[in-house]
Amino acid sequence: VIRCRAAVAWAAGKPLSIEEVEVAPPKAGEVRIKIVATGICHTDETVLKGCFPNVEFPVIPGHEGAGFVESIGEGVTSVKPGDKVIPLGLPQCGECSFCMNPESNYCLKCHMSEPQNLLPDKTTRFSCKGKQIHHFLWVSTFAEYTVIPEYAVAKIDAAAPLDKVCLLGCGFSTGYGAAINTAKVKPGSTCAIFGLGGVGLSVVMGCKAAGASRIIAVDINKDKFAKAKELGATDCISPRDCKKPIQEVLTEMTGHGVDYSFEAIGRADTMIAALASCNMSTGCCVLVGMLDSGSEISVNPLLLLTGRTWKGSALGGMKPKK
Ligand code: NAD
Ligand code: ZN
Ligand code: ZN
């Protein structure tokens, strides 16, 4: 058993608290990882609020990490102690029908199909002050050591800088992949990105890499605009500066609406605004932001009837392992 520090969420709505925790050794098919770097994604905030589907408290959140393999359980063959790795919040078992399908990155062992509050054998490797602590997405990167099923660990290049590549675990892959894999942005096209956090800025990079000629970045926080421009945004707009609804502003700016729109905020109103911002015929809107669990939105189907497509994207459609 390793004793180390971790940021524990004891109850919904309470801030994280740094605690000394015990991390049990990996069982068969599991890997214990020393986490060196972790990002913070908005989804961790959703966990803290208690609004992530099926989350159970107390829990160690975090799903954007990178580190080294410390030890391996029986039967583990794809990694060995000392390997640099990225934990995968979206696992890849390599055996389910979606893993076998080159078009899909939705492993059936992901959290939507199989709760990941406990490891696959339905026990936890974390404890603190005599209490069992839940895992999050099997990865729990807000701990100095964490135990993860082998199929949710990807080996990476030994030279990779861990403080940068941790973002491949969620934010960067999600945003960049939403543009490249999910929308399949074409050269010369127009794009609008709602929300300029780590995810939205990565969408901007993806649109730029795909050769979009106009990239319109939308956020209510204007401090985000300088970074968005540096990464490829051609226009930046705050809906708060507009007299008309943002979808009307974008439609006027582009003639009939953008070719591709992306929602990377996680709000019902901006999901509908993003959908209405892409053109009525060939426009494609990609949902990346997440609403609180149990929330629903209502949409006028006429928005889709003329040909628009509305897609969702998890981890940017990326298969996280080769
Ligand atoms: P973030 O909090 O860093 O960024 C959100 C941005 O939206 C901020 O810049 C904020 O100013 C802006 N914003 C807030 N309200 C707005 C409004 N009304 N109009 C315009 N802009 C507004 O978040 P993030 O980490 O980049 O994540 C974004 C969303 O993506 C979250 O909902 C997160 O849960 C979700 N997410 C989904 C996936 C996936 O695989 N689909 C992966 C990661 C994150
Ligand atoms: Zn995330
Ligand atoms: Zn699978």
Side-chain angles (χ1 to χ4, degrees):
V1 172
I2 289 178
R3 298 179 74 86
C4 67
R5 287 174 307 166
V8 177
W10 289 101
K14 294 270 166 20
L16 287 169
S17 141
I18 305 291
E19 307 282 0
E20 189 175 84
V21 299
E22 291 92 43
V23 186
K27 293 191 187 174
E30 299 172 358
V31 180
R32 187 160 60 183
I33 292 169
K34 178 177 170 54
I35 296 290
V36 174
T38 184
I40 303 173
C41 167
H42 198 102
T43 305
D44 296 309
E45 182 65 25
T46 309
V47 172
L48 289 186
K49 283 196 297 175
C51 296
F52 191 84
N54 304 317
V55 75
E56 275 186 65
F57 292 87
V59 59
I60 300 177
H63 61 284
E64 209 172 60
F68 292 95
V69 174
E70 178 272 334
S71 58
I72 56 174
E74 209 185 299
V76 170
T77 54
S78 62
V79 292
K80 58 179 187 314
D83 282 350
K84 271 190 185 174
V85 290
I86 293 181
L88 306 176
L90 185 63
Q92 199 180 320
C93 76
E95 290 166 358
C96 72
S97 57
F98 288 121
C99 279
M100 304 293 273
N101 179 348
E103 305 268 296
S104 164
N105 75 336
Y106 182 95
C107 176
L108 285 169
K109 292 202 159 86
C110 91
H111 75 91
M112 311 262 211
S113 307
E114 187 175 316
Q116 297 180 357
N117 304 310
L118 295 169
L119 289 178
D121 75 346
K122 307 296 175 216
T123 62
T124 169
R125 302 291 162 271
F126 294 123
S127 59
C128 177
K129 297 175 182 162
K131 287 209 172 77
Q132 303 282 294
I133 310 291
H134 292 94
H135 293 248
F136 174 56
L137 300 185
W138 287 332
V139 292
S140 294
T141 62
F142 290 175
E144 290 175 310
Y145 287 86
T146 184
V147 177
I148 304 179
E150 179 181 12
Y151 49 77
V153 176
K155 185 177 167 176
I156 57 168
D157 195 294
L162 296 174
D163 59 336
K164 298 203 168 62
V165 299
C166 62
L167 298 177
L168 292 172
C170 186
F172 178 76
S173 306
T174 297
Y176 194 84
I180 302 282
N181 300 321
T182 312
K184 298 190 168 61
V185 169
K186 290 188 188 140
S189 59
T190 54
C191 302
I193 298 99
F194 287 68
L196 301 172
V199 175
L201 288 172
S202 303
V203 177
V204 171
M205 286 191 263
C207 293
K208 163 103 178 161
S213 60
R214 198 158 183 203
I215 301 173
I216 308 171
V218 179
D219 202 299
I220 49 173
N221 179 355
K222 293 183 179 181
D223 293 344
K224 305 277 181 152
F225 292 172
K227 193 62 162 179
K229 286 209 162 133
E230 195 186 304
L231 296 174
T234 54
D235 308 72
C236 294
I237 308 177
S238 167
R240 291 195 175 149
D241 290 347
C242 303
K243 294 208 177 66
K244 293 182 183 168
I246 185 71
Q247 55 270 39
E248 289 180 28
V249 174
L250 290 167
T251 303
E252 280 175 15
M253 278 172 75
T254 53
H256 302 285
V258 294
D259 297 310
Y260 307 96
S261 58
F262 301 85
E263 204 276 357
I265 302 170
R267 292 175 54 97
D269 58 345
T270 46
M271 288 178 180
I272 301 294
L275 177 63
S277 300
C278 68
N279 83 62
M280 61 187 45
S281 173
T282 59
C284 170
C285 175
V286 180
L287 278 192
V288 185
M290 223 185 129
L291 285 187
D292 291 350
S293 66
S295 312
E296 293 185 352
I297 53 181
S298 73
V299 56
N300 181 345
L302 269 182
L303 280 170
L304 296 168
L305 201 78
T306 48
R308 277 188 183 94
T309 43
W310 203 11
K311 293 179 144 190
S313 182
L315 199 69
M318 303 257 187
K319 269 200 193 290
K321 277 203 221 191
K322 259 201 222 160

